[in-house]
Amino acid sequence: ATTEIYTLSLHDALPIYRNGMSRKGSFDFKEKLAALKKLKQTLPREVGEITANFFQDNFTKQGFDDNGVNPWKQVRRRIAGTPEYKYPKKKDLGRRTRAILVKSGKLRRDIKVRSARFDRIVIGTSSLTKKYASAHNNGEGKMPKRKFIGNSRKLQRKQKSHITNRLDKILGRFNFFNF
């Protein structure tokens, strides 16, 4: 047998709920359910866009942002005394000041939401830049690792904040302690 310590009916709980009332002044479950169903369709794309933009911003920051930017290894064309600095392959005047991994901007622009479903969101590059992106992101061959796509605590906080805000707009906030 169970011992009842505290019981609560939903009728008792609903007045605790703020911003969850319909125009009639009562909680409208059908309205909330319809809004949640719509959110289930749109939220994956929204979170995917936030994620893709975060990864693209790493090019501007010149490093991977995970609770602070971890700068990418400097390119040899900028290091005085190296052959690449002294004897460039091309007489490109901006070669020493140009951002790392940004010559044409093609790789940065190619980071997109490839698919977005509620159970799986894929962010990546197309087949045109896949090999190049992988070599830099993972540090393959002679390429130093210059991560721009991957898990980030800062990104997770952004995603969580967006999801929470979207749910709060629909459901309001529960306030169990301040009646």
Side-chain angles (χ1 to χ4, degrees):
T2 61
T3 305
E4 287 189 25
I5 298 171
Y6 180 75
T7 59
L8 176 69
S9 132
L10 284 178
H11 294 287
D12 296 332
L14 288 179
I16 298 170
Y17 200 84
R18 285 189 302 170
N19 302 326
M21 302 298 164
S22 72
R23 287 179 212 97
K24 301 171 211 159
S26 63
F27 190 84
D28 188 346
F29 282 107
K30 287 182 181 178
E31 182 182 297
K32 301 299 179 187
L33 186 59
L36 287 171
K37 283 182 179 179
K38 184 177 179 186
L39 181 64
K40 187 176 180 182
Q41 298 301 312
T42 60
L43 190 61
R45 177 60 60 178
E46 292 171 13
V47 172
E49 292 297 333
I50 288 167
T51 305
N53 290 338
F54 183 86
F55 293 152
Q56 290 169 352
D57 287 346
N58 287 324
F59 287 83
T60 304
K61 296 172 185 173
Q62 293 290 279
F64 188 72
D65 194 350
D66 182 18
N67 276 352
V69 178
N70 301 316
W72 293 332
K73 182 179 179 185
Q74 198 58 258
V75 290
R76 293 176 56 87
R77 70 175 183 269
R78 292 187 188 168
I79 303 170
T82 62
E84 292 82 355
Y85 183 87
K86 194 171 181 180
Y87 306 106
K89 291 180 184 177
K90 296 180 182 177
K91 296 291 180 188
D92 180 9
L93 296 176
R95 73 185 187 281
R96 291 186 185 136
T97 57
R98 186 180 70 237
I100 301 169
L101 294 184
V102 181
K103 187 171 186 177
S104 68
K106 186 177 180 179
L107 178 59
R108 175 178 36 197
R109 285 191 312 270
D110 198 33
I111 298 171
K112 295 182 179 150
V113 180
R114 298 300 166 181
S115 70
R117 298 188 321 253
F118 197 76
D119 62 335
R120 186 170 189 231
I121 301 169
V122 177
I123 312 296
T125 60
S126 69
S127 59
L128 298 174
T129 60
K130 186 177 180 179
K131 223 175 185 178
Y132 180 74
S134 180
H136 282 285
N137 197 58
N138 302 320
E140 298 167 0
K142 293 183 179 183
M143 291 286 179
K145 183 176 183 176
R146 293 188 176 110
K147 185 176 182 177
F148 52 90
I149 293 180
N151 290 331
S152 163
R153 290 172 289 226
K154 185 174 182 178
L155 174 60
Q156 289 171 347
R157 284 193 305 274
K158 277 185 157 192
Q159 293 166 334
K160 183 179 179 182
S161 175
H162 181 76
I163 293 166
T164 301
N165 289 338
R166 294 289 279 128
L167 287 170
D168 284 349
K169 282 183 181 178
I170 295 169
L171 299 174
R173 289 187 179 260
F174 281 106
N175 184 355
F176 291 104
F177 303 108
N178 298 322
F179 291 97

